[in-house]
């Protein structure tokens, strides 16, 4: 979906009679792009966090004295500007880790076995105290760990000078209505006033309704990510 199509839907729909940001012109104009695209980026991040829309894999070299591993760029091997003494994220300059973690979904051992997440009753469980942190209680320096995570969307530029016809929004069609409701809600909330806040609440409810329907439908692939990277790289 082109950004221009999404903006047209807003302008001809719920925002057709709205002064964005209090300006004296209806609908969305170039001056509104910074505010609107920030709302779109925020909405996309919410959806990419809630649903497994973009899965990525990162490999971690384990060390006996390190039990908490942060999935952040400063710990990536490819990051030559980082002064971290140990860089345990195994990547390359051709496929660098960019720190776009939203949520850790699955963790695999070097042998390809899935490790339980946040299960104190499981002897080899790993834990996620933060959205981008992984605690591995038992490991050796000869081991590798593979982490599957939900990655963030590609950020839409927030400048007035952008050309909406040249920017794409990557989102399944069945979630476009959710993003639409999210953005409309944020616009009405930003304007303020009792009537606008009530309108914002209606669209928040609509957003939640669309998301809930998707979660209970068969639109999402329920199959878990099959870990093959460690095997393919000859680490097993």
């Amino acid at each position: 979906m082109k950004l221009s199509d999404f903006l047209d839907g807003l302008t001809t729909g719920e925002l057709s009679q709205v002064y964005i940001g209090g300006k004296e012109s209806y609908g969305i104009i170039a001056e509104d792009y910074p505010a609107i695209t920030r709302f779109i980026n925020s909405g996309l991040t919410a959806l990419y966090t809630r649903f497994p829309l973009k899965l990525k894999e990162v490999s971690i070299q384990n060390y006996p004295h390190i039990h908490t591993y942060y999935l952040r760029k400063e710990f990536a091997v490819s990051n030559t500007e980082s002064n971290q003494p140990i860089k345990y994220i195994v990547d390359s300059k051709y496929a660098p880790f960019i720190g776009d973690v939203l949520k850790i979904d699955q963790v695999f051992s070097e042998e390809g076995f899935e490790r339980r997440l946040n299960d104190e009753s499981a002897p080899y469980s790993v834990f996620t105290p933060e959205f981008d942190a992984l605690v591995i209680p038992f490991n050796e320096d000869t081991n590798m760990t593979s982490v599957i995570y939900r990655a963030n969307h590609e950020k839409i530029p927030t400048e007035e000078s952008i050309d909406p016809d040249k920017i794409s929004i990557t989102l399944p069609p069945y979630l476009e209505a959710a993003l639409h409701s999210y953005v409309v809600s944020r616009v009405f909330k930003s304007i303020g006033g009792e009537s606008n806040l009530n309108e914002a609440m209606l669209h928040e409810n609509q957003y939640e309704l669309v998301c809930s329907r998707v979660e209970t439908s068969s639109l999402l692939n329920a199959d878990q990510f099959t870990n093959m990277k460690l095997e393919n790289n000859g680490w097993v």
Side-chain angles (χ1 to χ4, degrees), residues 7-166:
L7 295 178
D8 287 344
L10 294 173
T11 300
T12 60
E14 291 88 346
L15 301 184
S16 61
Q17 298 298 311
V18 174
Y19 295 123
I20 308 296
K23 299 181 178 65
E24 296 181 358
S25 58
Y26 289 124
I28 300 171
I29 59 176
E31 292 180 16
D32 302 318
Y33 289 167
I36 291 294
T37 51
R38 280 196 294 270
F39 294 152
I40 295 174
N41 281 325
S42 178
L44 286 172
T45 297
L47 291 170
Y48 272 65
T49 303
R50 185 164 181 168
F51 300 100
L53 300 178
K54 186 178 182 180
L55 295 179
K56 287 188 178 182
E57 183 177 23
V58 64
S59 298
I60 297 175
Q61 174 65 60
N62 299 150
Y63 292 89
H65 63 288
I66 300 177
H67 295 290
T68 301
Y69 297 85
Y70 294 97
L71 304 187
R72 300 171 186 172
K73 288 191 296 183
E74 58 261 37
F75 298 103
V77 171
S78 67
N79 189 350
T80 57
E81 297 181 357
S82 171
N83 58 6
Q84 289 293 336
I86 298 179
K87 298 177 182 177
Y88 43 71
I89 295 177
V90 183
D91 64 345
S92 71
K93 65 179 181 179
Y94 303 104
F97 174 73
I98 61 175
D100 54 349
V101 179
L102 292 175
K103 180 179 182 291
I104 295 174
D105 267 1
Q106 291 178 276
V107 177
F108 293 88
S109 69
E110 184 170 351
E111 293 78 18
F113 296 108
E114 185 173 2
R115 301 184 69 167
R116 299 291 292 272
L117 278 177
N118 303 311
D119 186 352
E120 294 185 355
S121 65
Y124 294 102
S125 176
V126 293
F127 301 88
T128 55
E130 300 177 55
F131 75 96
D132 63 346
L134 181 69
V135 173
I136 306 177
F138 307 103
N139 54 59
E140 299 177 359
D141 57 1
T142 57
N143 289 346
M144 297 284 288
T145 297
S146 178
V147 179
I148 311 301
Y149 66 90
R150 298 184 189 186
N152 207 350
H153 63 95
E154 186 174 346
K155 185 179 179 181
I156 297 173
T158 57
E159 293 80 24
E160 290 184 21
S161 59
I162 62 173
D163 184 351
D165 287 322
K166 296 182 179 180

